[in-house]
Amino acid sequence: MKKLLEKIRKILRDRRIRTLLTRVVSMISAIIVFVTTYALILPAITLEKQAACGIEEHQHTDECYEEELICDLPESEGHQHTDSCYAVKSVLSCDVPEHVHDEDCYDENGELVCEKYEHSHDGACYQEVKELVCGIEESDGHTHDASCYEKVLTCGKEVHVHSAECYKTEDDTDSQSEDGNESDPAAADDSREDDLDDAWNRTADDSGNASIEDDADTVQNESLC
């Protein structure tokens, strides 16, 4: 008899646990379905509404920017001196002064009295020297690359994404303030919580009693069989 009673208690306890778990899972499933459905229809509701904030929704893209040149170097192919950049000049390299004897170099008797060395410059007295005449400095040249440019925002718009506050109208704000003045939110919340607790307790008691009676009948029938 004791074993039978223990078996009945175990069956009843297991059934109550299964019933409680079933309710918890059902409540969680209902919450998930509600949240998922609301998340799916929220974008459609937002698109249908017209924003009351007066600000255009905008996100910066590549079209909002332009590249501005910040490099001070001009583009060029560069320059390396060649033979065409030079002119050849003959430069006197002889240290002997040029002198040709004239009548002043002779006395009355026709004898040379000049102490200067008679010398006339010829080709050997000159040396060819190259002189740079192009007037351009040597350089490797420059071609603008990505580092020579900077992205500058040119759209003139601010980044803005509509939120729930953007769709509130003056009528909604007034109605919310009136509702807040007419009722006490804290008292209303407490009342709703008390009602939910009472309803939950009544449902649990009724379900528990019905489950116990059904389980007892089932166990009794099984034991008789």
Side-chain angles (χ1 to χ4, degrees):
M1 188 66 180
K2 290 183 178 180
K3 292 182 178 180
L4 180 60
L5 292 175
E6 290 178 357
K7 186 176 181 180
I8 292 173
R9 292 193 188 96
K10 183 178 180 182
I11 293 173
L12 295 176
R13 184 170 60 254
D14 293 341
R15 180 162 293 185
R16 284 196 297 271
I17 293 174
R18 286 197 300 271
T19 302
L20 180 60
L21 291 176
T22 302
R23 291 178 180 176
V24 172
V25 172
S26 299
M27 291 178 63
I28 294 175
S29 300
I31 293 173
I32 292 174
V33 171
F34 174 76
V35 172
T36 303
T37 304
Y38 182 76
L40 291 175
I41 66 174
L42 182 60
I45 296 174
T46 303
L47 290 175
E48 291 178 358
K49 290 184 178 180
Q50 186 174 2
C53 64
I55 303 175
E56 180 183 357
E57 190 171 25
H58 179 72
Q59 290 283 356
H60 291 323
T61 61
D62 292 339
E63 297 178 355
C64 298
Y65 295 89
E66 290 184 1
E67 290 188 345
E68 181 178 338
L69 183 64
I70 58 174
C71 178
D72 296 331
L73 298 176
E75 279 192 311
S76 66
E77 297 179 355
H79 178 74
Q80 298 294 329
H81 294 320
T82 61
D83 292 340
S84 61
C85 297
Y86 295 90
V88 179
K89 295 178 62 177
S90 294
V91 179
L92 182 64
S93 60
C94 178
D95 296 333
V96 179
E98 192 173 28
H99 178 71
V100 178
H101 295 316
D102 55 13
E103 58 183 11
D104 294 333
C105 296
Y106 296 91
D107 59 8
E108 296 176 353
N109 297 324
E111 293 182 1
L112 182 64
V113 294
C114 177
E115 296 180 355
K116 294 181 180 180
Y117 177 74
E118 187 175 26
H119 174 74
S120 296
H121 295 318
D122 55 13
C125 296
Y126 292 90
Q127 182 181 3
E128 290 185 350
V129 177
K130 287 184 177 182
E131 182 180 358
L132 185 64
V133 295
C134 69
I136 303 174
E137 294 184 0
E138 280 190 315
S139 65
D140 295 331
H142 177 72
T143 302
H144 294 319
D145 55 16
S147 62
C148 297
Y149 294 89
E150 181 181 18
K151 281 190 174 183
V152 179
L153 186 65
T154 58
C155 67
K157 299 179 181 179
E158 295 182 358
V159 176
H160 179 74
V161 178
H162 291 321
S163 62
E165 296 294 331
C166 297
Y167 295 95
K168 287 185 178 180
T169 61
E170 294 181 358
D171 295 337
D172 296 336
T173 305
D174 295 339
S175 62
Q176 289 179 0
S177 61
E178 291 176 359
D179 294 339
N181 294 330
E182 291 177 358
S183 60
D184 185 1
D189 292 340
D190 294 339
S191 178
R192 283 195 294 270
E193 291 180 359
D194 294 338
D195 293 340
L196 290 174
D197 291 338
D198 294 339
W200 176 262
N201 292 330
R202 287 196 299 271
T203 303
D205 293 339
D206 295 340
S207 300
N209 294 332
S211 299
I212 292 172
E213 291 176 359
D214 294 340
D215 294 340
D217 293 339
T218 302
V219 173
Q220 186 175 2
N221 293 331
E222 291 176 354
S223 62
L224 291 176
C225 294

